[in-house]
């Protein structure tokens, strides 16, 4: 796991005293450390960086005494991606070809999936002056590589490759407008 960042907007909709819905739109950067081999067949550590637009359309929330527990689905669109590669001289560069190119036949090579969907589960605490702190776990249900199961390494098949987006997000939020603590009227 490697750290990234996220930023976005949210709206809390109250359905009753303790229950509601949370709607979110986020830009998130997801990164992972990977091991690759260069042109000289030497292994090196690299980073895969992906940028997504995440939509959490309706997470069910339970709110009491400033705490908010929520869970729901998400759908993400991949906006950009790159992997650090090492050239024949040992110099690192960002290779954006992993994102794919509409002009290429993507069935021949592994590219990143353009869409992901999954679930998120989180807990937040809102202070009386509108500031909130929270943490959430997200887990994707889509393999992030297209055609990964048909990948071969030379003449040998590597088998099934299953890589999912998953990770922890820690947030600091500010609520505009009604900044009262959740669960209080």
């Amino acid at each position: 796991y490697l750290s990234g960042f996220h930023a976005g907007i949210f709206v809390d909709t109250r359905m009753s005293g303790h229950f509601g819905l949370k709607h979110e739109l986020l830009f998130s950067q997801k990164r992972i450390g990977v091991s690759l081999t260069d042109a000289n067949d030497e292994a090196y550590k690299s980073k895969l960086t992906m940028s997504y637009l995440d939509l959490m359309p309706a997470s069910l929330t339970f709110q009491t005494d400033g705490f908010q527990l929520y869970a729901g689905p998400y759908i993400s669109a991949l906006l950009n991606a790159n992997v650090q590669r090492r050239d024949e001289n040992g110099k690192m560069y960002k290779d954006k070809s992993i994102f794919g190119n509409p002009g290429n036949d993507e069935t021949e090579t592994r590219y990143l999936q353009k869409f992901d969907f999954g679930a998120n589960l989180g807990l937040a605490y809102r202070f009386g002056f509108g500031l909130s702190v929270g943490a959430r776990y997200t887990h994707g249900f889509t393999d992030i590589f297209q055609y990964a199961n048909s990948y071969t390494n030379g003449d040998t098949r590597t088998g099934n490759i299953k890589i999912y987006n998953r990770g922890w997000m820690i947030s600091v939020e500010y609520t505009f407008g009604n900044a009262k603590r959740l669960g209080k009227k």
Side-chain angles (χ1 to χ4, degrees), residues 108-154:
E108 299 297 321
T109 304
R110 296 178 298 153
Y111 292 101
L112 293 173
Q113 292 280 7
K114 302 305 183 268
F115 292 96
D116 184 24
F117 74 95
N120 76 98
L121 172 68
L123 177 67
Y125 181 80
R126 183 174 299 156
F127 298 94
F129 51 90
L131 188 68
S132 299
V133 292
R136 87 172 71 211
Y137 176 74
T138 59
H139 189 96
F141 299 143
T142 305
D143 295 341
I144 65 170
F145 283 102
Q146 288 178 226
Y147 309 108
N149 293 338
S150 62
Y151 173 65
T152 58
N153 185 5

Side-chain angles (χ1 to χ4, degrees), residues 1-55:
Y1 291 101
L2 296 173
S3 62
F5 69 92
H6 66 278
I9 58 174
F10 70 94
V11 174
D12 281 327
T13 305
R14 300 287 288 263
M15 296 186 308
S16 70
H18 293 287
F19 292 97
L21 294 173
K22 185 173 191 159
H23 319 279
E24 299 175 89
L25 182 64
L26 302 174
F27 170 84
S28 63
Q29 181 187 61
K30 299 173 183 175
R31 299 175 356 139
I32 188 170
V34 294
S35 294
L36 299 175
T37 55
D38 61 14
N40 300 325
D41 218 20
E42 294 179 23
Y44 64 97
K45 293 187 186 273
S46 179
K47 295 178 202 166
L48 171 61
T49 303
M50 301 167 289
S51 299
Y52 285 93
L53 185 62
D54 300 325
L55 175 65

Side-chain angles (χ1 to χ4, degrees), residues 72-86:
Y74 77 82
I75 185 167
S76 297
L78 182 66
L79 302 175
N80 191 4
N82 67 70
V83 64
Q84 285 185 325
R85 297 217 186 259
R86 191 162 66 184

